[in-house]
Amino acid sequence: MTFECWSIIIIVCAICVIEVRTGRNNYALPVIPIVIVPAAHLLGMAFSTRLSRLVGALRPMQWYLILMVVALALACGLIALLSQAILSKRTRNAHLILGIGFSVILALILILDTISL
């Protein structure tokens, strides 16, 4: 799932750049928190074993799960907070539903895929 996470990060960054270049800055900032969950997956896969060796209290899978849950909570909170910059209530609600829904579903997929390894 490494390739998929990098693809999501690149696509979301491209969306932000396009929004800024077209002058819609209030739409660019609320999109950025969508990157948190795939970035946490990449960092969790890279550092969970090291954290387990360093602290020793938890196994690598437990560190990964903690990191993913914290990243999901952070992403959902930031999506809700930054969506206030969107002026249209209808667009703001759509962004909230789709952004939080995407983050939750992606986190579940990544966690279930990692657990099945």
Side-chain angles (χ1 to χ4, degrees), residues 16 19-20 24-34 78-79 82-83 85 95:
C16 290
E19 294 293 342
V20 169
R24 297 185 297 192
N25 295 335
N26 58 335
Y27 290 100
L29 192 59
V31 176
I32 294 172
I34 295 173
L78 284 175
I79 289 170
L82 295 176
S83 69
H95 175 74

Side-chain angles (χ1 to χ4, degrees), residues 53-94:
R53 282 190 220 138
L54 182 66
V55 177
L58 300 172
R59 289 180 276 156
M61 185 58 63
Q62 292 169 329
W63 280 111
Y64 173 79
L65 291 174
I66 290 170
L67 181 64
M68 288 300 290
V69 169
V70 168
L72 179 61
L74 179 67
C76 291
L78 284 175
I79 289 170
L81 181 68
L82 295 176
S83 69
Q84 300 305 312
I86 300 174
L87 301 177
S88 168
K89 185 174 182 177
R90 190 173 183 178
T91 306
R92 184 181 328 120
N93 289 340

Side-chain angles (χ1 to χ4, degrees), residues 12 15-17 22 25 31 35 41 47-48 53 63 73 84 86 91-93 95 100 107 110-111 117:
V12 169
I15 290 170
C16 290
V17 168
T22 57
N25 295 335
V31 176
V35 172
H41 173 72
F47 293 114
S48 60
R53 282 190 220 138
W63 280 111
Q84 300 305 312
I86 300 174
T91 306
R92 184 181 328 120
N93 289 340
H95 175 74
I100 291 173
L110 292 172
I111 288 171
L117 292 177

